Amino acid sequence: MKFKTLIIVLLISFTLALGGDDRANVRGVGMAGATTVTSRTIDAIGVNPALLGYMGIARGSELKGKIVDSQTRQPIPGARVTIRDLNLNTRANFSGEFSFKDVPPGTYTLVVTQKGYETLVIKGLRVNPNSRITGTIPISISEETGKETVVDFRNLGFEIKESRPIIYNDNSSFTMSLIPQIGAGIEINFLGYNLYLDYFTGVDSAGQKVARHLSDADKQKILDSFDENLGTFLGQVDVKLINFAFRVKSVGVAVGARERIFSRFGLPKDFMRFILYGNTPGSVYSYDVGIGGAWLREYSVSVGTKIPFDLIAVKNINVGLGVKFIQGFGYTETDGLNLTVETADSTRGYEMTASMKGVIKRAGVDFLGPDKKAKFTPFPTPAGTGLGFDIGASAEILGLFVAGISITDIGSVNWTRNAVIVSGDTTFKFSGYSTQKKLDSLKQSFKDYVNRKRYESFSSGLPTALRFGVATDLKNFLPFFPGRMLISADYFQPIGNEKIMFKKPKLALGIEWRLIGFLPLRAGISLGGFKGFALSAGTGINLPFLELNFAMGHLNQVMSGGDLKHFSIATELRLKF
């Protein structure tokens, strides 16, 4: 049955990240997932759409001045003011005042002309991002038409106020991923790589590898590796195939396509004990088995913008919404699936009773279903469809911090293609030695259980998550600190489909230090969630039109003594301007 293949694929895919967490956000991986207020441009997709409102905000500076007579200091109405390099011009009003808004960063030449006055050429007008430049320009009467006087802007005494963002902001007005953003990792809370090497790869004997005999101490060490009674594999393939973001007036817009494969498999500690010690007489083992997996493809549109008012201590309030059109290609989950094995004591002879009950739901595209002739295709007819939503907000608090909140992946998928619900409650009994008749009876009992099917559609939830974050720049408190150091803290709480995600909350603290502007250095720690304590690090090369980022998570698992229960790696290349 090809659904077995689906389950195997989902189990193998645990080598890639934790369901519900955004592993394709490379900058976020390097900061241990502290992304709710620090994500910008395409990174905001699926994290907090409100952050798209920051796109291109550094392109709007204001130049405001007043033209006066150099002798009388009286205003000169009607004077013509031109930014020569931008071919922008305006005229002074009756009070001699003029203004230019949304002047892009750069160095320009300003020209002032008026009949009966000299032509004043002002060189070296430097406009920085988010600046407000104000001052007075005196011009002198001249009888010589067209006479030019050249001055340096720095000598005019203009006041320049820069409205620096509280935290680092990517000022791009357009960003596009050049290669897919790919995240990968390992999530497992038992066994580990070192135990695998010690006990499951054999031992050398006369130049050959032979099986290792496990002592009771060895078996207990394997059992002690379980962090909980239920050992769990978790996984997610997270590939942002193509994403681009741009600004339309005051609104940031992002469009993306994303491939996600989630998997979850629970291995009870008692089941491992059963494997290690066998079904000794008088033993009773009861296993609650949990299997879940989903293969989803989403096409998303997200928008974010600044609302047109501030509060007393809360400014620059952004809100955002993301809509996801979801295609589902495969899904499986178990509900209350239990296997109990009881072996009679030796006084009753050899007798074993096994009971199995629970519900299994599954659906999939044709090449994962019963049609053996169906071939793999990257664009199959979906087995399910659905809608998902992301909502978010962010704001600057007291001029020192940026806070943000979002709820992502709100919604569900309705599965209709090859959709099957299997439910049952059956008992198998063995006594004495197995005969072909008893084996046939056992097979028939299992078939009776599996054949209790209902071919009907069903729905499954998305991996919904609540995120809250706060961030600041160390320069807000230590102005003398070299470079810019972003400090961010996040709380991540999964609240969605527990069949494909781990529902323990996670705390993350991340930093990004830009001592050299184009070479960010990132690091982070996280606590809680599935993996407990984790260290992360990352870096990148940020050029004016190109950005390359790289990150690794769970570094503590690959350091000396680490057990490699978790691992993640992510990289990206993007174009921006």
Side-chain angles (χ1 to χ4, degrees):
M1 181 181 291
K2 292 193 177 182
F3 278 107
K4 294 180 181 178
T5 304
L6 172 61
I7 293 174
I8 293 172
V9 169
L10 293 172
L11 297 183
I12 293 174
S13 72
F14 81 87
T15 55
L16 303 160
L18 173 61
D21 216 345
D22 187 356
R23 290 294 176 179
N25 187 328
V26 183
R27 187 172 176 229
V29 171
M31 297 174 64
T35 59
T36 305
V37 294
T38 60
S39 296
R40 294 293 185 266
T41 66
I42 57 178
D43 288 338
I45 301 174
V47 176
N48 187 349
L51 303 178
L52 291 167
Y54 286 104
M55 286 201 66
I57 61 172
R59 297 196 175 270
S61 294
E62 182 181 15
L63 171 62
K64 188 174 183 179
K66 185 176 184 179
I67 310 299
V68 300
D69 187 292
S70 62
Q71 297 297 322
T72 66
R73 309 303 293 183
Q74 293 297 310
I76 304 177
R80 188 179 187 86
V81 186
T82 302
I83 302 179
R84 180 180 289 173
D85 312 76
L86 298 176
N87 198 28
L88 295 176
N89 61 80
T90 187
R91 287 192 179 274
N93 62 18
F94 288 107
S95 299
E97 296 174 345
F98 71 94
S99 68
F100 292 97
K101 294 184 178 180
D102 296 324
V103 181
T107 301
Y108 306 109
T109 297
L110 196 68
V111 180
V112 181
T113 59
Q114 174 66 327
K115 186 176 181 180
Y117 285 84
E118 64 182 344
T119 296
L120 190 64
V121 180
I122 305 169
K123 292 186 174 292
L125 168 59
R126 184 179 178 83
V127 179
N128 292 323
N130 293 327
S131 298
R132 191 170 186 270
I133 305 169
T134 58
T136 300
I137 301 176
I139 58 175
S140 302
I141 295 175
S142 174
E143 296 180 357
E144 184 179 345
T145 303
K147 178 185 177 182
E148 289 190 356
T149 301
V150 180
V151 298
D152 192 311
F153 176 78
R154 292 172 295 181
N155 297 330
L156 295 178
F158 268 62
E159 182 181 18
I160 302 175
K161 291 184 178 180
E162 291 188 26
S163 177
R164 188 184 67 184
I166 293 177
I167 64 174
Y168 169 80
N169 185 59
D170 186 326
N171 297 318
S172 306
S173 290
F174 179 87
T175 304
M176 182 179 71
S177 55
L178 293 180
I179 60 175
Q181 295 172 275
I182 303 173
I186 296 174
E187 306 287 349
I188 178 174
N189 65 356
F190 67 101
L191 289 180
Y193 186 62
N194 290 336
L195 279 179
Y196 168 76
L197 293 178
D198 290 342
Y199 299 125
F200 296 96
T201 58
V203 294
D204 290 323
S205 177
Q208 293 184 337
K209 282 281 187 179
V210 297
R212 172 172 178 163
H213 174 74
L214 298 180
S215 66
D216 286 342
D218 293 335
K219 295 176 182 179
Q220 189 59 47
K221 190 172 182 180
I222 293 172
L223 293 174
D224 289 343
S225 72
F226 282 71
D227 295 340
E228 301 177 352
N229 286 328
L230 182 66
T232 304
F233 296 95
L234 285 179
Q236 177 185 347
V237 180
D238 193 351
V239 182
K240 292 182 177 179
L241 299 168
I242 183 168
N243 300 278
F244 57 92
F246 53 93
R247 187 174 179 87
V248 180
K249 294 185 177 180
S250 61
V251 180
V253 182
V255 178
R258 186 179 186 184
E259 201 85 8
R260 305 167 83 181
I261 298 179
F262 303 92
S263 61
R264 174 171 179 157
F265 175 71
L267 180 67
K269 189 175 182 178
D270 267 356
F271 186 74
M272 180 60 72
R273 183 179 284 111
F274 175 76
I275 293 174
L276 294 173
Y277 290 99
N279 56 317
T280 56
S283 64
V284 178
Y285 293 100
S286 181
Y287 319 119
D288 291 321
V289 181
I291 299 175
W295 174 16
L296 307 176
R297 181 176 298 162
E298 60 186 46
Y299 303 93
S300 64
V301 178
S302 304
V303 295
T305 188
K306 178 181 179 298
I307 63 177
F309 61 85
D310 295 325
L311 303 178
I312 296 176
V314 182
K315 300 184 182 299
N316 292 326
I317 304 171
N318 286 1
V319 294
L321 171 69
V323 180
K324 305 174 180 181
F325 304 91
I326 300 171
Q327 295 180 334
F329 301 127
Y331 185 83
T332 184
E333 73 168 57
T334 60
D335 187 11
L337 187 60
N338 175 270
L339 174 64
T340 300
V341 179
E342 178 181 0
T343 305
D345 58 40
S346 57
T347 60
R348 294 161 54 189
Y350 181 79
E351 183 177 287
M352 185 173 70
T353 302
S355 63
M356 185 175 179
K357 62 181 179 179
V359 177
I360 302 174
K361 297 179 180 179
R362 65 182 192 237
V365 293
D366 289 344
F367 63 80
L368 294 176
D371 186 357
K372 297 181 179 181
K373 295 182 179 180
K375 295 182 179 180
F376 171 81
T377 171
F379 298 99
T381 301
T385 56
L387 274 177
F389 300 91
D390 301 331
I391 57 174
S394 69
E396 296 179 359
I397 312 295
L398 300 173
L400 296 174
F401 303 94
V402 178
I405 187 171
S406 68
I407 303 178
T408 56
D409 290 315
I410 305 167
S412 62
V413 177
N414 186 41
W415 300 93
T416 58
R417 195 175 189 85
N418 299 316
V420 179
I421 301 176
V422 181
S423 63
D425 186 349
T426 191
T427 300
F428 319 109
K429 182 168 286 189
F430 308 84
S431 59
Y433 293 100
S434 297
T435 65
Q436 187 61 46
K437 182 178 180 181
K438 291 180 179 180
L439 292 175
D440 291 341
S441 176
L442 174 62
K443 290 179 181 178
Q444 187 59 48
S445 296
F446 186 76
K447 285 181 179 180
D448 290 342
Y449 177 87
V450 172
N451 287 332
R452 295 171 185 174
K453 301 177 181 178
R454 301 195 310 274
Y455 293 89
E456 61 182 59
S457 63
F458 61 89
S459 294
S460 65
L462 297 177
T464 312
L466 169 68
R467 306 165 186 260
F468 175 78
V470 62
T472 189
D473 192 313
L474 193 57
K475 273 192 177 297
N476 295 326
F477 303 93
L478 299 175
F480 55 83
F481 189 83
R484 300 199 66 175
M485 179 173 284
L486 168 67
I487 303 174
S488 180
D490 258 42
Y491 173 80
F492 178 85
Q493 175 65 68
I495 56 177
N497 187 346
E498 63 182 6
K499 305 299 182 182
I500 56 175
M501 64 191 309
F502 198 69
K503 302 196 76 169
K504 285 189 176 180
K506 182 183 76 172
L507 294 173
L509 176 67
I511 63 171
E512 181 182 73
W513 187 25
R514 293 177 181 264
L515 179 61
I516 303 173
F518 69 89
L519 189 64
L521 302 175
R522 305 179 182 108
I525 61 172
S526 63
L527 300 170
F530 180 69
K531 48 191 172 289
F533 173 75
L535 293 174
S536 301
T539 187
I541 299 176
N542 296 172
L543 302 177
F545 301 102
L546 201 65
E547 184 174 327
L548 172 66
N549 290 303
F550 174 80
M552 294 179 64
H554 316 99
L555 291 177
N556 50 307
Q557 293 288 325
V558 298
M559 295 176 180
S560 177
D563 207 18
L564 278 182
K565 288 185 177 181
H566 315 280
F567 181 69
S568 60
I569 186 171
T571 185
E572 68 163 344
L573 179 66
R574 65 175 66 176
L575 175 71
K576 62 179 185 177
F577 52 83

